[in-house]
Amino acid sequence: MIAPPPPSGPVPYNRDFALLLLTDMLRVRRMEEKSAELYGAGRIRGFLHLYIGEEAVAVGALHALQAHDNLVTTYREHAHALVRGMPMSAIMAEMYGRQEGCSQGRGGSMHLFDRTTRLFGGNAIVGAGLPVAVGLALADKMLRASRVTACFFGEGAVAEGAFHESMNLAALWRLPVLFCCENNRYAMGTALERSESQTDLCAKASSYGMPVLRVDGMDVVAVHEATLQAQARVRAGEGPLFVEYQTYRFRAHSMFDAELYRSREEVEQWKKCGPIHTYTARLKRQELLDEEAFLALDAQVAAEVDSAVVFAEAGSDETFESMMADVHTSGGLSR
Amino acid sequence: MSRRISYREALREGLREALLNDPRVLLMGEDVGRYGGTYAVSKGLLDEFGPDRIRDTPLSELAFVGAGIGAALGGLRPVVEVMTVNFSLLALDPIVNTAALYHHMSGGQFSVPLVIRMATGAGRQVAAQHSHSFEGWYAHIPGITILAPATVRDARYMLAPALSDPDPVLIFEHAALYNMEAELGDEEPVDIRSARLMRDGSDVALITYGGSLYKTLAAAEQLAMRGISAAVLDLRVLRPLDTGAIVALTRQCRRVVVVDEGWRSGSLAAEVMARIVEHAFYELDAPPARVCSEEVPVPYARHLEEAVLPQPEKIIAAVEALLGVSS
Ligand SMILES: Cc1ncc(C[n+]2csc(CCOP(=O)(O)OP(=O)(O)O)c2C)c(N)n1
Ligand SMILES: [Mg+2]
């Protein structure tokens, strides 16, 4: 798949909001670069799926939602948790397996949960978040909450039965679900055209009778505008809506991926559309930012990352007893 | 005032009470509404509570069980009906990978107060794909509570504590029991943590649950006529198992036969026997025995189906072997 032209349109926001988008993309990027480094150093273990290259999607989309909306994500969810408001230190501590982590160190990178921001995980089974999102939206509809449930998943999930069953149920019951498909073109090593007889994902979603939007996921402005429009329609009671964000991951699928399935040229092509440097250039062109301000911002983000690492390093281990006593809400039930 | 009602009516009354008492409760599943429920459990509820709360779903076990989880997380108290345990295999992922793990994996932040009901068991000549007993499998999984109501009383009253449990509860209704009738008092609430002694005895402990309870009671009756005193324990709750009751009855009788409609290998019966061996080994007068289903797909033909399932005669034979007596 040929990369699209790099995003270059005008940024239609005031300085504060324009810089907020940049700051959040940078926070995600620098946090993940640091996690990769810490993985190499053995501080973080297990599966680690980086979002590097895809930052415009979570940042643009989540800033279009409201604070009380529900969020359901996959295992590639560091960005979503951070942008939604989870402290970077809680994410880092979770990756370290510390009890100060958002999930007490029981979940790790793939299972970030946060009750205060209504982040319902962090699901590492491809497609499994979709039915949960449908149910959250059902509860909101029946309890008359004006919430939207945003459900993020990769294009790989489109091949799962869970996708089709959930699309049908959400459309049939006209539930307020915003299906956010992060189409980064690959499911591990399997390219979309090698796994789908119909590669037009919007066509699949429309077949369930719901409106669809396709957006350049490398362009934070396009993502934000499309998601604003989409969430307004869902919130207004029009039923579910499907958004396809066309994006690309620059790094390996996880830390165990030799990337045999794609060429270096292809990755380099896509890097030309990188969401952060293209957006930075646009801001500079519009004189919303200069190099000095950019460097200051980057330094501020680096300091946040450093203190998150310090927090995680200083964290403590949950005791075996505490872990065993929390299988059920009401305490341990093992007999 | 006591009255005579069926297991099916008891389940319906339990559901109706829950729907009346708590506006957050809804029943959803395949054909629960217009059809009246596959086993007619929810018959009439649609008229009374409307299609939002008696919610027919498409044939999408994965999605509507998963949606039940989401609805529970979102503040409702859903009762999801899966037509039978056989089709619950299409919803194993949301049950095992989502519902059961959510509380622990989220560091205790989220709970899933979801009840899933389904019919289970064989004995009606519906052949291999419709005759499974997988409740023992589900009892393997930490994070969920597994109930097997075998009595009209449990059918009537288990739902309330299941719904007030903050975590997922699966209720397995044996399909052969729906027409069974029994006397029921006005108000007989039950817990969902303990086994119940259905018949006291001193020579042998018969430990069972679900559809096998009546076969076991019939066996105990026949044994009594031959002078053998058999106690019968209805496990009721398959997870967490009431180890205390199992061990106490073992100590009392010193001989045990476990009766389980599941296949023998890796069965719930195996777990019960393991606990007996762990906790009461030196008080046994004989190795514990079990009567399970034969390890074969459940056949259609009546004589063969009867031959593969636990039956009173097999239970009696197992007791006789244990006691070293012969008929
Ligand atoms: C049901 C299931 N099957 C297989 C896997 C292994 N797996 C993990 S991620 C992944 C690829 C998913 O690709 P996609 O949905 O496009 O998301 P992306 O990783 O590209 O963000 C696979 C196959 C899984 N986690 N769950
Ligand atoms: Mg993908």
Side-chain angles (χ1 to χ4, degrees), chain A residues 102-104 106 111 113-115 119-120 125 131-132 135-136 138-139 165 169 173 323 326-329 333 335, chain B residues 55 58 60 62-63 67 70-71 76 93 97 102-111 143 167 193 240-242 275:
Chain A
C102 58
S103 307
Q104 297 198 51
R106 297 179 196 160
H111 303 301
F113 289 84
D114 187 15
R115 192 158 69 179
L119 167 57
F120 292 89
I125 303 297
V132 175
L136 283 162
L138 173 63
E165 293 190 20
L169 213 51
W173 292 346
M323 188 270 304
D326 203 25
V327 175
H328 283 262
T329 306
L333 278 185
R335 286 208 201 180
Chain B
R55 186 173 280 264
S60 298
L62 193 174
L76 296 176
D93 180 64
N97 257 326
Y102 231 78
H103 178 73
H104 194 260
M105 203 169 73
S106 67
Q109 294 185 82
F110 292 107
S111 299
D167 300 311
R193 291 290 173 263
L241 270 178
D242 187 351
R275 295 195 187 199

Side-chain angles (χ1 to χ4, degrees), chain A residues 155-156 182 184-187:
Chain A
E155 88 294 338
E182 300 173 312
N184 62 7
R185 294 170 203 260
Y186 292 92

Side-chain angles (χ1 to χ4, degrees), chain B residues 27 68 83 103 170 204 210 254 273:
Chain B
L27 173 69
M83 212 176 255
H103 178 73
L170 271 59
V204 62
R254 310 180 73 88
M273 290 168 81

